[in-house]
Amino acid sequence: MFVTTHAAIGALVGAAVPNPYLAFSLGFLSHFIVDRIPHGDEHMLDGYKSGDKIKRAVAYVTIDSVIAMYVTLLILSNAPAHLHGAMKWGLIGSILPDLLVGVYEITKISPFFRRFTAYHHKNHHHWIGKYRKGKDIPFKWGVAYQVVAAIVLVKIAVIG
């Protein structure tokens, strides 16, 4: 799932649950729930570790991160100030799992991060394996519905 989608969901969680600690926890949990939805990227990054597709992987992550920052600023600039803290913590919780996986992939720093990354990947493909016989949806359809989902989430957050 794109970071942008996770960020929008996390911000909305924070708006719905104005307690920053609970918003962070629910944002973190929302990441794993949403990642179970097939979203077309199961094989997108195959080969990136060997360098075959590293430029494409970096491009996707960079574009997604820039859009996520814009979406975050857009949502927060339209939200009541008293919700900003919880929305930020919900957002941080919702993107943290992907950041932890990224840290592990770059550093291989600890057995905890190795186990966390293995769980994250297993969770990612839970419904693909269970209901789609191991086949993800086409990448273009995953991108399309995530873009629509992000637009809808932002409209809900901005307009109310």
Side-chain angles (χ1 to χ4, degrees), residues 37 56 60 70 72 99 101-102 130:
I37 300 168
R56 184 175 75 175
Y60 280 121
Y70 174 76
T72 300
L99 294 175
V101 168
K130 189 171 184 176

Side-chain angles (χ1 to χ4, degrees), residues 4 7-8 66-77 91 150 154 158:
T4 301
V66 169
I67 294 170
M69 287 186 280
Y70 174 76
V71 163
T72 300
L73 292 172
L74 178 65
I75 290 172
L76 290 175
S77 68
L91 190 149
V154 169
V158 171

Side-chain angles (χ1 to χ4, degrees), residues 22 26 37-38 44 71 73 77 81 101 103 107 126-127 136 147 158:
L22 187 55
L26 292 175
I37 300 168
M44 182 183 83
V71 163
L73 292 172
S77 68
V101 168
V103 167
T107 65
H126 177 79
W127 287 346
D136 200 357
V147 167
V158 171

Side-chain angles (χ1 to χ4, degrees), residues 118-139:
Y119 172 76
H120 185 270
H121 289 308
K122 183 178 179 182
N123 178 72
H124 232 256
H125 304 294
H126 177 79
W127 287 346
I128 293 169
K130 189 171 184 176
Y131 299 110
R132 296 198 37 87
K133 299 181 177 116
K135 269 191 88 175
D136 200 357
I137 64 172
F139 180 67

Side-chain angles (χ1 to χ4, degrees), residues 10-128:
L12 286 174
V13 166
V17 181
N19 178 310
Y21 302 108
L22 187 55
F24 174 84
S25 300
L26 292 175
F28 192 83
L29 179 63
S30 78
H31 182 98
F32 294 98
I33 293 168
V34 174
D35 260 359
R36 285 187 171 211
I37 300 168
H39 46 278
D41 68 355
E42 181 182 12
H43 299 293
M44 182 183 83
L45 299 179
D46 288 351
Y48 81 95
K49 290 180 184 177
S50 66
D52 295 347
K53 299 178 183 175
I54 191 73
K55 288 180 183 176
R56 184 175 75 175
V58 169
Y60 280 121
V61 170
T62 302
I63 291 167
D64 185 24
S65 297
V66 169
I67 294 170
M69 287 186 280
Y70 174 76
V71 163
T72 300
L73 292 172
L74 178 65
I75 290 172
L76 290 175
S77 68
N78 287 283
H82 72 279
L83 293 177
H84 284 193
M87 291 175 80
K88 289 174 191 174
W89 282 108
L91 190 149
I92 290 168
S94 71
I95 64 172
L96 184 60
D98 283 342
L99 294 175
L100 294 176
V101 168
V103 167
Y104 174 74
E105 292 292 350
I106 292 169
T107 65
K108 308 289 188 202
I109 61 173
S110 78
F112 167 77
F113 283 103
R114 181 178 42 78
R115 288 189 302 275
F116 181 84
T117 298
Y119 172 76
H120 185 270
H121 289 308
K122 183 178 179 182
N123 178 72
H124 232 256
H125 304 294
H126 177 79
W127 287 346
I128 293 169

